[in-house]
Amino acid sequence: MERKKRSWAEPYKIKMVEPLVMTTREQRLRAIEEAGYNTFLLRSADVYIDLLTDSGTSAMSDRQWAGMMMGDEAYSGSENFYHLEEAVREHYGYTYVIPTHQGRGAEHLISKILIKPGDVVPGNMYFTTTRLHQELAGASFEDIIVDEAHDPTSTFAFKGNVDLTKLQSLIERVGADRIPYVTIGATVNMAGGQPISMANLRAVRELTAAHKIRVVLDATRAVENAWFIKAREEGYAERSVASILLEICSLSDAATMSGKKDLLVNIGGFLAMRDEWIYNEARTLVVVYEGMHTYGGLAGRDMEAMAIGIHEAVQDDHIRARVGQVEYLGDQLIQAGIPIVLPIGGHAIYLDAKRFLPHLTQDQFPAQMLAAQLYIEGGIRAMERGIVSAGRDPNTGAQRYPKLELVRLTIPRRVYTQAHLDVTAEVVMDLFDRRDSIPGLEMTYEPRYLRFFQARFSPLQ
Ligand SMILES: *Cc1c(COP(=O)(O)O)cnc(C)c1O
């Protein structure tokens, strides 16, 4: 008899292992109290399965490690820079590349170059560091994502899409000369790793071009976005992810990149662009903030690992397995009736804390507490993406109340096995069974910038 379905498996095998330590519940309670109920402040040695982030946590391939040994550590003109430049040109299609120490280094440069005080930068939902750099450069951020993105129960296939009516009316309201560029995230991290469709991206390009407004792509997760276009958008099923990625990038003027995500490295990023004027400005500024334009704060070996990572990241087999792992975990939680953001995104499962802990108000930091409880229950480290991450309005100091109050279980690339994901699902289910007994939190320390990294909390009651 022929089987209907053939399971896929990861297109790699394991050559080196890093032992994990399982802690006791008492140890974890002590650790989370010392960390002020902030999973960012835990020591990684106290964590069993680390799903805090997929940023810089990927397992590099043997090729990448071999590349690390080929670092050309010259102060300028390193061979590795030229390999990186070639790889970016081949797979992202931009003419000019400036390495940066990570994604926010590129965001800093492009914000400083293009924004003047009083400007408005629209984007398909905000990202923490992206928006902060725009605000520090004097702009205010305007969310132009489709409404579906703010509804965790909507199963719309392209929740990363721009609402063109919102963009059009913003242009009419503030005037195109106050909009230096539109930021397009692909996929949209804060919406749950949700993709933008090619059709929508093309429409954004047409509308902005008519007003001479630039498009800056946050390409950090664009390979994952390309995979979703292949899987969900008509006309792309037979196309390679690599060719879809090139098409995405062709609809933008510049890109900021955190290599710590798609590109399978532990550190690195770049700013890329077609425009020679932006390139010359960026070359001038990068020396001030990152380093020479041929290393941008990176060692030669890091640029080599990133160049090799670019080639590995765009392989269809790789990206199918990467997104497939996320879906494997998400499907188990859906079957158990756990409230998660739908559809399942590219890099993470997002627990909907508002529905998981409906007895808590948003001021009691339900997602922050849920993340702490996941750690206490099973040594699993996740992160809050809700009211703490949203922070305060920089002008009024008022607390922002985002619609989404989420806990992100982020899957590092090529790091964990299906059994780790099974354990994770079991821990979430156990916690769901005793959800009524989980109290809220109060904030006892609030940092000025990006408070979610270092804020401290204590349980109510
Ligand atoms: C991580 C990330 C960034 C910032 O990059 P860093 O390397 O952490 O500085 C920007 N945008 C998106 C979508 C990200 O996921």
Side-chain angles (χ1 to χ4, degrees):
M1 213 178 71
E2 236 180 272
R3 285 180 193 278
K4 289 249 163 31
K5 171 173 167 268
R6 175 69 61 87
S7 292
W8 57 265
E10 292 79 0
Y12 53 83
K13 57 182 178 174
I14 295 165
K15 174 140 62 180
M16 190 187 287
V17 298
E18 177 182 333
L20 294 175
V21 180
M22 189 59 184
T23 47
T24 65
R25 193 180 188 89
E26 287 64 41
Q27 287 172 322
R28 295 196 293 275
L29 261 172
R30 206 174 321 125
I32 198 74
E33 263 158 33
E34 274 169 21
Y37 283 78
N38 187 342
T39 51
F40 276 102
L41 300 178
L42 288 167
R43 298 175 71 124
S44 103
D46 294 331
V47 174
Y48 176 43
I49 298 175
D50 201 347
L51 307 182
L52 182 71
T53 172
D54 62 339
S55 180
T57 54
S58 297
M60 291 208 295
S61 67
D62 52 358
R63 269 77 174 166
Q64 286 177 293
W65 280 108
M68 295 283 279
M69 297 302 291
M70 304 294 281
D72 171 7
E73 308 303 346
Y75 189 86
S76 69
S78 158
E79 270 303 287
N80 312 119
F81 165 75
Y82 295 103
H83 296 162
L84 175 65
E85 188 183 56
E86 262 170 55
V88 173
R89 283 178 177 160
E90 180 180 345
H91 288 298
Y92 289 84
Y94 301 101
T95 317
Y96 305 105
V97 185
I98 293 197
T100 56
H101 76 285
Q102 56 184 75
R104 69 198 69 181
E107 293 167 350
H108 180 206
L109 298 178
I110 197 75
S111 302
K112 266 198 141 55
I113 293 166
L114 295 181
I115 293 170
K116 21 177 225 322
D119 280 352
V120 178
V121 181
N124 52 348
M125 205 172 263
Y126 80 101
F127 184 74
T128 52
T129 56
T130 320
R131 181 176 67 186
L132 181 58
H133 278 299
Q134 291 162 354
E135 289 171 348
L136 289 173
S140 57
F141 173 82
E142 192 84 22
D143 189 4
I144 51 161
I145 203 164
V146 291
D147 288 339
E148 286 90 337
H150 293 282
D151 174 4
T153 62
S154 159
T155 54
F156 182 48
F158 291 103
K159 287 166 97 173
N161 278 2
V162 167
D163 184 329
L164 295 160
T165 316
K166 286 183 192 169
L167 177 56
Q168 175 78 51
S169 55
L170 179 73
I171 295 171
E172 284 162 18
R173 185 153 51 83
V174 306
D177 53 340
R178 279 182 58 208
I179 304 178
Y181 61 95
V182 176
T183 312
I184 296 297
T187 61
V188 182
N189 192 345
M190 302 298 280
Q194 304 292 338
I196 179 171
S197 73
M198 195 73 84
N200 185 255
L201 191 52
R202 199 170 291 117
V204 170
R205 184 61 159 172
E206 278 166 20
L207 176 57
T208 49
H211 295 276
K212 299 201 163 53
I213 297 171
R214 289 189 169 94
V215 173
V216 175
L217 182 71
D218 182 342
T220 299
R221 302 169 180 285
V223 180
E224 287 165 9
N225 200 111
W227 170 259
F228 284 121
I229 288 175
K230 180 180 169 75
R232 297 179 187 169
E233 191 163 351
E234 212 182 305
Y236 287 92
E238 302 304 319
R239 292 267 302 272
S240 69
V241 164
S243 77
I244 299 172
L245 177 66
L246 267 177
E247 188 176 333
I248 292 173
C249 296
S250 75
L251 298 168
S252 68
D253 299 286
T256 55
M257 182 77 194
S258 170
K260 300 170 71 172
K261 320 293 170 62
D262 273 354
L263 303 187
L264 301 160
V265 288
N266 305 123
I267 193 71
F270 57 77
L271 178 64
M273 67 291 279
R274 283 174 234 292
D275 189 317
E276 195 180 351
W277 174 78
I278 300 179
Y279 172 64
N280 284 329
E281 292 294 308
R283 245 167 70 113
T284 308
L285 275 184
V286 74
V287 186
V288 181
Y289 295 107
E290 307 274 322
M292 276 278 294
H293 63 278
T294 54
Y295 76 85
L298 295 173
R301 53 182 172 270
D302 295 324
M303 292 189 283
E304 189 64 30
M306 186 155 57
I308 296 167
I310 289 174
H311 294 291
E312 293 181 359
V314 300
Q315 303 304 316
D316 287 13
D317 283 351
H318 159 73
I319 194 67
R320 176 191 294 116
R322 191 282 183 281
V323 177
Q325 273 207 331
V326 179
E327 283 168 350
Y328 176 81
L329 173 61
D331 285 340
Q332 290 197 45
L333 296 178
I334 290 171
Q335 272 164 31
I338 310 285
I340 67 168
V341 173
L342 298 173
I344 296 169
H347 65 295
I349 297 302
Y350 290 71
L351 305 177
D352 183 351
K354 282 188 181 172
R355 281 185 291 151
F356 203 112
L357 302 173
H359 56 287
L360 300 184
T361 66
Q362 202 167 12
D363 286 311
Q364 295 173 330
F365 308 110
Q368 187 74 28
M369 187 49 148
L370 186 50
Q373 292 292 328
L374 277 172
Y375 174 70
I376 296 168
E377 182 74 27
I380 290 163
R381 172 154 72 168
M383 81 153 83
E384 192 259 16
R385 276 298 184 225
I387 188 166
V388 184
S389 296
R392 292 177 181 275
D393 183 297
N395 299 315
T396 66
Q399 172 65 58
R400 289 170 167 134
Y401 287 90
K403 287 209 182 84
L404 299 178
E405 180 70 23
L406 309 175
V407 171
R408 190 179 82 181
L409 297 161
T410 336
I411 314 300
R413 297 164 187 78
R414 310 192 291 205
V415 171
Y416 291 114
T417 64
Q418 281 197 1
H420 289 117
L421 301 177
D422 291 341
V423 172
T424 302
E426 290 157 13
V427 170
V428 175
M429 290 174 210
D430 285 345
L431 208 52
F432 194 61
D433 288 342
R434 63 169 185 85
R435 61 189 182 280
D436 296 342
S437 65
I438 297 174
L441 290 170
E442 62 179 333
M443 201 187 302
T444 55
Y445 167 67
E446 179 176 359
R448 187 145 41 112
Y449 297 120
L450 302 176
R451 65 184 188 181
F452 59 94
F453 284 128
Q454 290 146 346
R456 299 184 71 85
F457 302 82
S458 64
L460 290 168
Q461 284 154 23

